[in-house]
Amino acid sequence: MEGVLTGLMGGLAIVFTPMGFFYVALGTILGISVGAIPGLSGAMLIALTLPLTYYMPATDAIVLLIGMYVGSITGGLITATLLRMPGTPSNVMTTFDGYPMARAGKPGRALGLGIAASFAGGIISWWFLLLLAKPLSIWATRFGPFEYFTLILMAMVLIASVSQGSLVKGLIAGLLGMLVSMPGIDPSSGMPRLTFDQHQMTSGLKLLPVLIGVFAVSQIISDVLDIGRKIERVESAKSGIMIKARDWWRYGGNMLRSGLIGTLVGILPGVGASIGSVIAYTTAKNVSKTPEQFGKGSEEGIVASETANNATVGGALIPLIAMGIPGSVIDAILIGALMIHSIQPGPTLFITNPDVVYAMIAACLIGNIIMLAVMTGSVNWVAKLAYIPRTYLLPIIIVCCVIGAFGLDNVMFDVWVMLVFGVIGFLLERARYPLGPFVIGFVLAPLMESKLRTGLMMTAGSITPIFTRPIAATFLVIAIVLLVWPLIGEWRRRRAEAAGVAG
Amino acid sequence: MNERIDPRVEIGVALMLILIASLALFGAKDLPPGRFEPLGSAPVPRAVAGMILLLSLWIIVRALIDKRPIATAAADRYLDAGAVLLLTLLFVAAMHYRLATFAILTTLYLTATIGFLVRFRRHQLPWVIGIAAATGFGFQYVFTRVFVVDLPGL
């Protein structure tokens, strides 16, 4: 514990340097602003900012991106409440009660509760991040290649099974991400693989152009489709934004419960803020004395949703820091950011780059405090960003995407890759394939394959340790259960439906 | 959600996935077996591509036999999206072939794209051209002088 506190002090010292604080504040404010603009997301902002961080010191780059992560989750609250449009997917549940409350003449109160709940969620999960990341990383250092292989296998199945849409589509998206990561020089044999004799392909498809394509370009194409949609809006109000001490007391239990749910969901690899807020909202409704108010402007509903979605941020950083496994899509991009700065994510991160780890943890705390101050003080101003005409904004973002993809290595091939994946991402989304598994598959597949091949080299080609080593076998069993459980559920549902029809 | 996606979209996307998986299988067919390690570089892409192929076929079969009602699409602006995509392709191609500087190409691209999205309304055009030029020349200045990043184009 003493080591953790010393490390945290070091992290805070980094964040409180003039540049460190500037970057956290800038990141948080940009994150809030982007979150407040419907159609733009934190993943898009972070992917586009990544090329600008190449020349920055690693700690400055990471604290900037963490600030964006914290800010973007919260910024979506504003449009969810005032426009009934979730700024980010994780704010969907907030629209159910935030907008009715705003329509009922209490927009300030709805925003105030959401801001307070977001702060509470961020701080609850931050404590878990501080206390759990290091012990978990120490435990993960015991993992051999087979444990790592089965852990990633379990993570992939988990991501696919809990993603929105069908399990099969989640699996396909994850597998496609894995396949797309495979072209290039095979690290084990040193031979080109799936390059189709194209010299540009020997370095493989790089993370950044693929990410910008899948998250930014595809989103812009989708946004163009509903550019003319009429938006209902409620004007913001200053009154009620500062919530009172009795509200903290009244909703403390809800915040704690939803914060714990959000943190736990965040820890699960690849399960993002959307699912955290859905579970917390449903739980809050089930235990509420006034469940009939949910969906009609329930204060408890806003508190549950916003606490949980912000709590997933700290939760999702735990597996990233401890094991190098992304807890969410943005964490997958953060892994890419670490790699760009020559930092290898994984359980040894606490040993090799403790400054970066503790700067991330400190930035998460300070980002939440800045978020509370900025949102409370200027939510009415930030709300105006939602009204920027998208006809002007979207083409300018495309130009930013081109600069971002080109800036990686100064080659136009990356820009073409970005465009192709923009179209693929758009088509996948139209057919309701989740994009989260795609990105996480893309990031984790090289690690998964290398662990499998290292393991097989150690055992002369035998996969028996997967079944005989306790941790590896446990991960494998969980993966199988996660895969089979939804299928059984589907089969039982169909049988019940058939029985109903026959009856 | 008891409505299904338009089967044409479902099948079209599944066919695209089958094409990608088939390309990967084709690319992996001549990969040599491992020399210093048991697995080699071919089995993993083959297995992954094979699974995508099978699951995509399953999606097609399911789309063909599914009898639920088709989800009605909102009034989408597919023409706008197609035009923006086409203009973006032209913009990238112009930069690829270095037809002009980044600032000029960006100004032209933004004027054309934003102008198209606002339906070239006369009273908005001065704004469109102004914003396009400010963005094009402003980005060129900021990225090359402040961030010292190379930009595509001449």
Side-chain angles (χ1 to χ4, degrees), chain A residues 441-477:
Chain A
F442 185 79
V443 171
L444 289 183
L447 184 65
M448 189 180 180
E449 188 183 354
S450 84
K451 294 293 179 192
L452 175 65
R453 289 167 79 169
T454 309
L456 290 175
M457 273 197 276
M458 284 164 56
T459 58
S462 166
I463 58 160
T464 314
I466 288 180
F467 308 104
T468 55
R469 292 174 69 107
I471 297 174
T474 307
F475 288 148
L476 186 68
V477 169

PDB file of all heavy atoms in Angstrom, chain A residues 441-477:
ATOM      1  N   GLY A 441     -10.438  -7.179 -31.088  1.00  0.00           N
ATOM      2  CA  GLY A 441      -9.811  -8.297 -31.810  1.00  0.00           C
ATOM      3  C   GLY A 441      -8.560  -7.852 -32.545  1.00  0.00           C
ATOM      4  O   GLY A 441      -7.525  -8.529 -32.529  1.00  0.00           O
ATOM      5  N   PHE A 442      -8.634  -6.689 -33.151  1.00  0.00           N
ATOM      6  CA  PHE A 442      -7.494  -6.145 -33.909  1.00  0.00           C
ATOM      7  C   PHE A 442      -6.302  -5.894 -32.985  1.00  0.00           C
ATOM      8  O   PHE A 442      -5.162  -6.198 -33.322  1.00  0.00           O
ATOM      9  CB  PHE A 442      -7.927  -4.830 -34.576  1.00  0.00           C
ATOM     10  CG  PHE A 442      -6.891  -4.228 -35.482  1.00  0.00           C
ATOM     11  CD1 PHE A 442      -6.705  -4.711 -36.764  1.00  0.00           C
ATOM     12  CD2 PHE A 442      -6.093  -3.189 -35.060  1.00  0.00           C
ATOM     13  CE1 PHE A 442      -5.742  -4.163 -37.607  1.00  0.00           C
ATOM     14  CE2 PHE A 442      -5.133  -2.633 -35.888  1.00  0.00           C
ATOM     15  CZ  PHE A 442      -4.957  -3.126 -37.168  1.00  0.00           C
ATOM     16  N   VAL A 443      -6.587  -5.362 -31.795  1.00  0.00           N
ATOM     17  CA  VAL A 443      -5.499  -5.029 -30.858  1.00  0.00           C
ATOM     18  C   VAL A 443      -4.933  -6.293 -30.199  1.00  0.00           C
ATOM     19  O   VAL A 443      -3.722  -6.414 -30.025  1.00  0.00           O
ATOM     20  CB  VAL A 443      -6.023  -4.032 -29.785  1.00  0.00           C
ATOM     21  CG1 VAL A 443      -5.007  -3.836 -28.678  1.00  0.00           C
ATOM     22  CG2 VAL A 443      -6.337  -2.694 -30.431  1.00  0.00           C
ATOM     23  N   LEU A 444      -5.826  -7.224 -29.854  1.00  0.00           N
ATOM     24  CA  LEU A 444      -5.371  -8.371 -29.052  1.00  0.00           C
ATOM     25  C   LEU A 444      -4.865  -9.560 -29.872  1.00  0.00           C
ATOM     26  O   LEU A 444      -4.121 -10.392 -29.346  1.00  0.00           O
ATOM     27  CB  LEU A 444      -6.502  -8.842 -28.131  1.00  0.00           C
ATOM     28  CG  LEU A 444      -6.857  -7.924 -26.970  1.00  0.00           C
ATOM     29  CD1 LEU A 444      -7.934  -8.553 -26.114  1.00  0.00           C
ATOM     30  CD2 LEU A 444      -5.637  -7.627 -26.102  1.00  0.00           C
ATOM     31  N   ALA A 445      -5.250  -9.646 -31.140  1.00  0.00           N
ATOM     32  CA  ALA A 445      -4.886 -10.849 -31.917  1.00  0.00           C
ATOM     33  C   ALA A 445      -3.379 -11.094 -31.993  1.00  0.00           C
ATOM     34  O   ALA A 445      -2.945 -12.241 -31.816  1.00  0.00           O
ATOM     35  CB  ALA A 445      -5.486 -10.755 -33.323  1.00  0.00           C
ATOM     36  N   PRO A 446      -2.554 -10.075 -32.252  1.00  0.00           N
ATOM     37  CA  PRO A 446      -1.110 -10.369 -32.311  1.00  0.00           C
ATOM     38  C   PRO A 446      -0.575 -10.945 -31.005  1.00  0.00           C
ATOM     39  O   PRO A 446       0.218 -11.895 -31.007  1.00  0.00           O
ATOM     40  CB  PRO A 446      -0.483  -8.992 -32.602  1.00  0.00           C
ATOM     41  CG  PRO A 446      -1.567  -8.184 -33.217  1.00  0.00           C
ATOM     42  CD  PRO A 446      -2.829  -8.664 -32.575  1.00  0.00           C
ATOM     43  N   LEU A 447      -1.069 -10.401 -29.884  1.00  0.00           N
ATOM     44  CA  LEU A 447      -0.629 -10.902 -28.578  1.00  0.00           C
ATOM     45  C   LEU A 447      -1.116 -12.341 -28.377  1.00  0.00           C
ATOM     46  O   LEU A 447      -0.372 -13.217 -27.928  1.00  0.00           O
ATOM     47  CB  LEU A 447      -1.196  -9.992 -27.483  1.00  0.00           C
ATOM     48  CG  LEU A 447      -0.775 -10.276 -26.051  1.00  0.00           C
ATOM     49  CD1 LEU A 447       0.714 -10.045 -25.872  1.00  0.00           C
ATOM     50  CD2 LEU A 447      -1.551  -9.394 -25.072  1.00  0.00           C
ATOM     51  N   MET A 448      -2.353 -12.578 -28.760  1.00  0.00           N
ATOM     52  CA  MET A 448      -2.953 -13.903 -28.589  1.00  0.00           C
ATOM     53  C   MET A 448      -2.170 -14.943 -29.392  1.00  0.00           C
ATOM     54  O   MET A 448      -1.828 -16.025 -28.890  1.00  0.00           O
ATOM     55  CB  MET A 448      -4.406 -13.836 -29.068  1.00  0.00           C
ATOM     56  CG  MET A 448      -5.231 -15.042 -28.785  1.00  0.00           C
ATOM     57  SD  MET A 448      -6.887 -14.705 -29.455  1.00  0.00           S
ATOM     58  CE  MET A 448      -7.699 -16.211 -29.047  1.00  0.00           C
ATOM     59  N   GLU A 449      -1.884 -14.605 -30.638  1.00  0.00           N
ATOM     60  CA  GLU A 449      -1.181 -15.550 -31.502  1.00  0.00           C
ATOM     61  C   GLU A 449       0.245 -15.798 -31.003  1.00  0.00           C
ATOM     62  O   GLU A 449       0.714 -16.937 -30.963  1.00  0.00           O
ATOM     63  CB  GLU A 449      -1.151 -15.040 -32.951  1.00  0.00           C
ATOM     64  CG  GLU A 449      -0.609 -16.088 -33.908  1.00  0.00           C
ATOM     65  CD  GLU A 449      -0.494 -15.592 -35.348  1.00  0.00           C
ATOM     66  OE1 GLU A 449      -0.940 -14.469 -35.636  1.00  0.00           O
ATOM     67  OE2 GLU A 449       0.059 -16.343 -36.163  1.00  0.00           O
ATOM     68  N   SER A 450       0.900 -14.716 -30.601  1.00  0.00           N
ATOM     69  CA  SER A 450       2.297 -14.894 -30.164  1.00  0.00           C
ATOM     70  C   SER A 450       2.357 -15.724 -28.888  1.00  0.00           C
ATOM     71  O   SER A 450       3.251 -16.549 -28.711  1.00  0.00           O
ATOM     72  CB  SER A 450       2.985 -13.539 -29.992  1.00  0.00           C
ATOM     73  OG  SER A 450       2.723 -13.004 -28.743  1.00  0.00           O
ATOM     74  N   LYS A 451       1.376 -15.560 -27.987  1.00  0.00           N
ATOM     75  CA  LYS A 451       1.369 -16.358 -26.755  1.00  0.00           C
ATOM     76  C   LYS A 451       1.127 -17.830 -27.088  1.00  0.00           C
ATOM     77  O   LYS A 451       1.758 -18.718 -26.509  1.00  0.00           O
ATOM     78  CB  LYS A 451       0.289 -15.849 -25.791  1.00  0.00           C
ATOM     79  CG  LYS A 451       0.528 -14.461 -25.255  1.00  0.00           C
ATOM     80  CD  LYS A 451       1.739 -14.399 -24.350  1.00  0.00           C
ATOM     81  CE  LYS A 451       1.978 -12.992 -23.839  1.00  0.00           C
ATOM     82  NZ  LYS A 451       3.285 -12.824 -23.191  1.00  0.00           N
ATOM     83  N   LEU A 452       0.199 -18.078 -28.016  1.00  0.00           N
ATOM     84  CA  LEU A 452      -0.080 -19.471 -28.392  1.00  0.00           C
ATOM     85  C   LEU A 452       1.172 -20.120 -28.991  1.00  0.00           C
ATOM     86  O   LEU A 452       1.543 -21.249 -28.622  1.00  0.00           O
ATOM     87  CB  LEU A 452      -1.228 -19.506 -29.404  1.00  0.00           C
ATOM     88  CG  LEU A 452      -1.561 -20.886 -29.976  1.00  0.00           C
ATOM     89  CD1 LEU A 452      -2.092 -21.817 -28.889  1.00  0.00           C
ATOM     90  CD2 LEU A 452      -2.590 -20.787 -31.101  1.00  0.00           C
ATOM     91  N   ARG A 453       1.825 -19.378 -29.862  1.00  0.00           N
ATOM     92  CA  ARG A 453       2.998 -19.960 -30.542  1.00  0.00           C
ATOM     93  C   ARG A 453       4.166 -20.136 -29.569  1.00  0.00           C
ATOM     94  O   ARG A 453       4.894 -21.135 -29.628  1.00  0.00           O
ATOM     95  CB  ARG A 453       3.374 -19.097 -31.748  1.00  0.00           C
ATOM     96  CG  ARG A 453       2.320 -19.247 -32.847  1.00  0.00           C
ATOM     97  CD  ARG A 453       2.429 -18.228 -33.927  1.00  0.00           C
ATOM     98  NE  ARG A 453       3.479 -18.541 -34.885  1.00  0.00           N
ATOM     99  CZ  ARG A 453       3.622 -17.903 -36.044  1.00  0.00           C
ATOM    100  NH1 ARG A 453       2.795 -16.930 -36.367  1.00  0.00           N
ATOM    101  NH2 ARG A 453       4.580 -18.231 -36.867  1.00  0.00           N
ATOM    102  N   THR A 454       4.323 -19.179 -28.645  1.00  0.00           N
ATOM    103  CA  THR A 454       5.376 -19.337 -27.628  1.00  0.00           C
ATOM    104  C   THR A 454       5.083 -20.559 -26.768  1.00  0.00           C
ATOM    105  O   THR A 454       5.975 -21.369 -26.473  1.00  0.00           O
ATOM    106  CB  THR A 454       5.434 -18.068 -26.724  1.00  0.00           C
ATOM    107  OG1 THR A 454       5.508 -16.936 -27.555  1.00  0.00           O
ATOM    108  CG2 THR A 454       6.605 -18.102 -25.786  1.00  0.00           C
ATOM    109  N   GLY A 455       3.814 -20.687 -26.368  1.00  0.00           N
ATOM    110  CA  GLY A 455       3.426 -21.839 -25.539  1.00  0.00           C
ATOM    111  C   GLY A 455       3.689 -23.156 -26.244  1.00  0.00           C
ATOM    112  O   GLY A 455       4.218 -24.102 -25.654  1.00  0.00           O
ATOM    113  N   LEU A 456       3.332 -23.201 -27.519  1.00  0.00           N
ATOM    114  CA  LEU A 456       3.523 -24.446 -28.272  1.00  0.00           C
ATOM    115  C   LEU A 456       5.015 -24.763 -28.449  1.00  0.00           C
ATOM    116  O   LEU A 456       5.406 -25.937 -28.480  1.00  0.00           O
ATOM    117  CB  LEU A 456       2.826 -24.359 -29.631  1.00  0.00           C
ATOM    118  CG  LEU A 456       1.295 -24.369 -29.565  1.00  0.00           C
ATOM    119  CD1 LEU A 456       0.693 -24.158 -30.952  1.00  0.00           C
ATOM    120  CD2 LEU A 456       0.768 -25.663 -28.959  1.00  0.00           C
ATOM    121  N   MET A 457       5.820 -23.727 -28.555  1.00  0.00           N
ATOM    122  CA  MET A 457       7.271 -23.973 -28.648  1.00  0.00           C
ATOM    123  C   MET A 457       7.791 -24.575 -27.341  1.00  0.00           C
ATOM    124  O   MET A 457       8.645 -25.443 -27.325  1.00  0.00           O
ATOM    125  CB  MET A 457       8.004 -22.659 -28.948  1.00  0.00           C
ATOM    126  CG  MET A 457       8.103 -22.358 -30.424  1.00  0.00           C
ATOM    127  SD  MET A 457       9.332 -21.121 -30.783  1.00  0.00           S
ATOM    128  CE  MET A 457       8.436 -19.634 -30.523  1.00  0.00           C
ATOM    129  N   MET A 458       7.233 -24.096 -26.234  1.00  0.00           N
ATOM    130  CA  MET A 458       7.687 -24.593 -24.925  1.00  0.00           C
ATOM    131  C   MET A 458       7.304 -26.041 -24.702  1.00  0.00           C
ATOM    132  O   MET A 458       7.979 -26.777 -23.987  1.00  0.00           O
ATOM    133  CB  MET A 458       7.069 -23.733 -23.803  1.00  0.00           C
ATOM    134  CG  MET A 458       7.722 -22.374 -23.646  1.00  0.00           C
ATOM    135  SD  MET A 458       6.708 -21.244 -22.675  1.00  0.00           S
ATOM    136  CE  MET A 458       6.457 -22.126 -21.170  1.00  0.00           C
ATOM    137  N   THR A 459       6.173 -26.459 -25.304  1.00  0.00           N
ATOM    138  CA  THR A 459       5.674 -27.819 -25.048  1.00  0.00           C
ATOM    139  C   THR A 459       5.836 -28.720 -26.271  1.00  0.00           C
ATOM    140  O   THR A 459       5.195 -29.773 -26.338  1.00  0.00           O
ATOM    141  CB  THR A 459       4.179 -27.765 -24.687  1.00  0.00           C
ATOM    142  OG1 THR A 459       3.481 -27.141 -25.783  1.00  0.00           O
ATOM    143  CG2 THR A 459       3.929 -26.982 -23.425  1.00  0.00           C
ATOM    144  N   ALA A 460       6.646 -28.304 -27.214  1.00  0.00           N
ATOM    145  CA  ALA A 460       6.883 -29.074 -28.440  1.00  0.00           C
ATOM    146  C   ALA A 460       5.583 -29.387 -29.175  1.00  0.00           C
ATOM    147  O   ALA A 460       5.370 -30.502 -29.669  1.00  0.00           O
ATOM    148  CB  ALA A 460       7.650 -30.353 -28.140  1.00  0.00           C
ATOM    149  N   GLY A 461       4.676 -28.433 -29.198  1.00  0.00           N
ATOM    150  CA  GLY A 461       3.460 -28.592 -29.989  1.00  0.00           C
ATOM    151  C   GLY A 461       2.266 -29.138 -29.241  1.00  0.00           C
ATOM    152  O   GLY A 461       1.210 -29.338 -29.837  1.00  0.00           O
ATOM    153  N   SER A 462       2.376 -29.328 -27.934  1.00  0.00           N
ATOM    154  CA  SER A 462       1.244 -29.892 -27.187  1.00  0.00           C
ATOM    155  C   SER A 462       0.397 -28.770 -26.583  1.00  0.00           C
ATOM    156  O   SER A 462       0.933 -27.831 -25.983  1.00  0.00           O
ATOM    157  CB  SER A 462       1.765 -30.793 -26.072  1.00  0.00           C
ATOM    158  OG  SER A 462       0.737 -31.066 -25.168  1.00  0.00           O
ATOM    159  N   ILE A 463      -0.926 -28.911 -26.713  1.00  0.00           N
ATOM    160  CA  ILE A 463      -1.808 -27.894 -26.110  1.00  0.00           C
ATOM    161  C   ILE A 463      -2.374 -28.379 -24.767  1.00  0.00           C
ATOM    162  O   ILE A 463      -3.246 -27.732 -24.184  1.00  0.00           O
ATOM    163  CB  ILE A 463      -2.976 -27.498 -27.052  1.00  0.00           C
ATOM    164  CG1 ILE A 463      -3.815 -28.713 -27.432  1.00  0.00           C
ATOM    165  CG2 ILE A 463      -2.481 -26.770 -28.266  1.00  0.00           C
ATOM    166  CD1 ILE A 463      -5.193 -28.327 -27.934  1.00  0.00           C
ATOM    167  N   THR A 464      -1.861 -29.500 -24.283  1.00  0.00           N
ATOM    168  CA  THR A 464      -2.381 -30.068 -23.035  1.00  0.00           C
ATOM    169  C   THR A 464      -2.381 -29.058 -21.875  1.00  0.00           C
ATOM    170  O   THR A 464      -3.341 -29.038 -21.099  1.00  0.00           O
ATOM    171  CB  THR A 464      -1.547 -31.315 -22.651  1.00  0.00           C
ATOM    172  OG1 THR A 464      -1.401 -32.095 -23.813  1.00  0.00           O
ATOM    173  CG2 THR A 464      -2.209 -32.125 -21.554  1.00  0.00           C
ATOM    174  N   PRO A 465      -1.349 -28.201 -21.735  1.00  0.00           N
ATOM    175  CA  PRO A 465      -1.362 -27.280 -20.579  1.00  0.00           C
ATOM    176  C   PRO A 465      -2.594 -26.392 -20.515  1.00  0.00           C
ATOM    177  O   PRO A 465      -2.958 -25.926 -19.432  1.00  0.00           O
ATOM    178  CB  PRO A 465      -0.097 -26.438 -20.792  1.00  0.00           C
ATOM    179  CG  PRO A 465       0.793 -27.292 -21.613  1.00  0.00           C
ATOM    180  CD  PRO A 465      -0.101 -28.087 -22.502  1.00  0.00           C
ATOM    181  N   ILE A 466      -3.233 -26.158 -21.650  1.00  0.00           N
ATOM    182  CA  ILE A 466      -4.462 -25.351 -21.605  1.00  0.00           C
ATOM    183  C   ILE A 466      -5.491 -26.022 -20.696  1.00  0.00           C
ATOM    184  O   ILE A 466      -6.256 -25.354 -20.001  1.00  0.00           O
ATOM    185  CB  ILE A 466      -5.045 -25.167 -23.031  1.00  0.00           C
ATOM    186  CG1 ILE A 466      -4.163 -24.210 -23.832  1.00  0.00           C
ATOM    187  CG2 ILE A 466      -6.473 -24.640 -22.994  1.00  0.00           C
ATOM    188  CD1 ILE A 466      -4.637 -23.948 -25.249  1.00  0.00           C
ATOM    189  N   PHE A 467      -5.490 -27.342 -20.685  1.00  0.00           N
ATOM    190  CA  PHE A 467      -6.487 -28.077 -19.893  1.00  0.00           C
ATOM    191  C   PHE A 467      -5.968 -28.462 -18.504  1.00  0.00           C
ATOM    192  O   PHE A 467      -6.751 -28.742 -17.608  1.00  0.00           O
ATOM    193  CB  PHE A 467      -6.913 -29.358 -20.637  1.00  0.00           C
ATOM    194  CG  PHE A 467      -7.332 -29.083 -22.055  1.00  0.00           C
ATOM    195  CD1 PHE A 467      -6.489 -29.399 -23.121  1.00  0.00           C
ATOM    196  CD2 PHE A 467      -8.551 -28.478 -22.322  1.00  0.00           C
ATOM    197  CE1 PHE A 467      -6.852 -29.130 -24.424  1.00  0.00           C
ATOM    198  CE2 PHE A 467      -8.920 -28.202 -23.632  1.00  0.00           C
ATOM    199  CZ  PHE A 467      -8.076 -28.523 -24.690  1.00  0.00           C
ATOM    200  N   THR A 468      -4.648 -28.493 -18.351  1.00  0.00           N
ATOM    201  CA  THR A 468      -4.110 -28.979 -17.071  1.00  0.00           C
ATOM    202  C   THR A 468      -3.671 -27.856 -16.130  1.00  0.00           C
ATOM    203  O   THR A 468      -3.627 -28.052 -14.930  1.00  0.00           O
ATOM    204  CB  THR A 468      -2.901 -29.912 -17.313  1.00  0.00           C
ATOM    205  OG1 THR A 468      -1.937 -29.204 -18.106  1.00  0.00           O
ATOM    206  CG2 THR A 468      -3.312 -31.185 -18.020  1.00  0.00           C
ATOM    207  N   ARG A 469      -3.349 -26.694 -16.669  1.00  0.00           N
ATOM    208  CA  ARG A 469      -2.939 -25.594 -15.785  1.00  0.00           C
ATOM    209  C   ARG A 469      -4.202 -24.925 -15.251  1.00  0.00           C
ATOM    210  O   ARG A 469      -5.084 -24.543 -16.031  1.00  0.00           O
ATOM    211  CB  ARG A 469      -2.056 -24.601 -16.547  1.00  0.00           C
ATOM    212  CG  ARG A 469      -0.708 -25.200 -16.931  1.00  0.00           C
ATOM    213  CD  ARG A 469       0.077 -24.261 -17.793  1.00  0.00           C
ATOM    214  NE  ARG A 469       0.534 -23.088 -17.070  1.00  0.00           N
ATOM    215  CZ  ARG A 469       1.792 -22.878 -16.698  1.00  0.00           C
ATOM    216  NH1 ARG A 469       2.717 -23.771 -16.993  1.00  0.00           N
ATOM    217  NH2 ARG A 469       2.131 -21.783 -16.048  1.00  0.00           N
ATOM    218  N   PRO A 470      -4.323 -24.784 -13.917  1.00  0.00           N
ATOM    219  CA  PRO A 470      -5.617 -24.369 -13.327  1.00  0.00           C
ATOM    220  C   PRO A 470      -6.139 -23.031 -13.863  1.00  0.00           C
ATOM    221  O   PRO A 470      -7.330 -22.933 -14.205  1.00  0.00           O
ATOM    222  CB  PRO A 470      -5.316 -24.270 -11.828  1.00  0.00           C
ATOM    223  CG  PRO A 470      -4.029 -24.971 -11.619  1.00  0.00           C
ATOM    224  CD  PRO A 470      -3.296 -25.033 -12.906  1.00  0.00           C
ATOM    225  N   ILE A 471      -5.264 -22.022 -13.939  1.00  0.00           N
ATOM    226  CA  ILE A 471      -5.774 -20.694 -14.360  1.00  0.00           C
ATOM    227  C   ILE A 471      -6.216 -20.749 -15.822  1.00  0.00           C
ATOM    228  O   ILE A 471      -7.294 -20.264 -16.184  1.00  0.00           O
ATOM    229  CB  ILE A 471      -4.694 -19.607 -14.135  1.00  0.00           C
ATOM    230  CG1 ILE A 471      -4.374 -19.479 -12.649  1.00  0.00           C
ATOM    231  CG2 ILE A 471      -5.158 -18.259 -14.677  1.00  0.00           C
ATOM    232  CD1 ILE A 471      -3.229 -18.547 -12.325  1.00  0.00           C
ATOM    233  N   ALA A 472      -5.385 -21.381 -16.665  1.00  0.00           N
ATOM    234  CA  ALA A 472      -5.718 -21.477 -18.097  1.00  0.00           C
ATOM    235  C   ALA A 472      -7.030 -22.247 -18.280  1.00  0.00           C
ATOM    236  O   ALA A 472      -7.906 -21.837 -19.058  1.00  0.00           O
ATOM    237  CB  ALA A 472      -4.589 -22.148 -18.860  1.00  0.00           C
ATOM    238  N   ALA A 473      -7.159 -23.350 -17.536  1.00  0.00           N
ATOM    239  CA  ALA A 473      -8.378 -24.168 -17.668  1.00  0.00           C
ATOM    240  C   ALA A 473      -9.605 -23.379 -17.205  1.00  0.00           C
ATOM    241  O   ALA A 473     -10.681 -23.471 -17.815  1.00  0.00           O
ATOM    242  CB  ALA A 473      -8.225 -25.456 -16.853  1.00  0.00           C
ATOM    243  N   THR A 474      -9.445 -22.586 -16.142  1.00  0.00           N
ATOM    244  CA  THR A 474     -10.577 -21.783 -15.640  1.00  0.00           C
ATOM    245  C   THR A 474     -11.023 -20.781 -16.712  1.00  0.00           C
ATOM    246  O   THR A 474     -12.223 -20.651 -16.995  1.00  0.00           O
ATOM    247  CB  THR A 474     -10.161 -21.019 -14.357  1.00  0.00           C
ATOM    248  OG1 THR A 474      -9.631 -21.954 -13.439  1.00  0.00           O
ATOM    249  CG2 THR A 474     -11.331 -20.288 -13.736  1.00  0.00           C
ATOM    250  N   PHE A 475     -10.050 -20.073 -17.283  1.00  0.00           N
ATOM    251  CA  PHE A 475     -10.398 -19.105 -18.335  1.00  0.00           C
ATOM    252  C   PHE A 475     -11.098 -19.808 -19.502  1.00  0.00           C
ATOM    253  O   PHE A 475     -12.052 -19.280 -20.076  1.00  0.00           O
ATOM    254  CB  PHE A 475      -9.136 -18.389 -18.849  1.00  0.00           C
ATOM    255  CG  PHE A 475      -8.560 -17.394 -17.881  1.00  0.00           C
ATOM    256  CD1 PHE A 475      -7.190 -17.153 -17.837  1.00  0.00           C
ATOM    257  CD2 PHE A 475      -9.373 -16.694 -17.005  1.00  0.00           C
ATOM    258  CE1 PHE A 475      -6.645 -16.232 -16.954  1.00  0.00           C
ATOM    259  CE2 PHE A 475      -8.840 -15.768 -16.102  1.00  0.00           C
ATOM    260  CZ  PHE A 475      -7.478 -15.541 -16.076  1.00  0.00           C
ATOM    261  N   LEU A 476     -10.613 -20.996 -19.838  1.00  0.00           N
ATOM    262  CA  LEU A 476     -11.200 -21.730 -20.965  1.00  0.00           C
ATOM    263  C   LEU A 476     -12.648 -22.122 -20.662  1.00  0.00           C
ATOM    264  O   LEU A 476     -13.540 -21.964 -21.509  1.00  0.00           O
ATOM    265  CB  LEU A 476     -10.360 -22.982 -21.272  1.00  0.00           C
ATOM    266  CG  LEU A 476     -10.786 -23.744 -22.507  1.00  0.00           C
ATOM    267  CD1 LEU A 476     -10.505 -22.942 -23.773  1.00  0.00           C
ATOM    268  CD2 LEU A 476     -10.069 -25.101 -22.591  1.00  0.00           C
ATOM    269  N   VAL A 477     -12.864 -22.620 -19.434  1.00  0.00           N
ATOM    270  CA  VAL A 477     -14.228 -23.025 -19.055  1.00  0.00           C
ATOM    271  C   VAL A 477     -15.156 -21.814 -19.104  1.00  0.00           C
ATOM    272  O   VAL A 477     -16.280 -21.890 -19.640  1.00  0.00           O
ATOM    273  CB  VAL A 477     -14.224 -23.676 -17.644  1.00  0.00           C
ATOM    274  CG1 VAL A 477     -15.653 -23.850 -17.120  1.00  0.00           C
ATOM    275  CG2 VAL A 477     -13.508 -25.021 -17.683  1.00  0.00           C
TER     276      VAL A 477
END
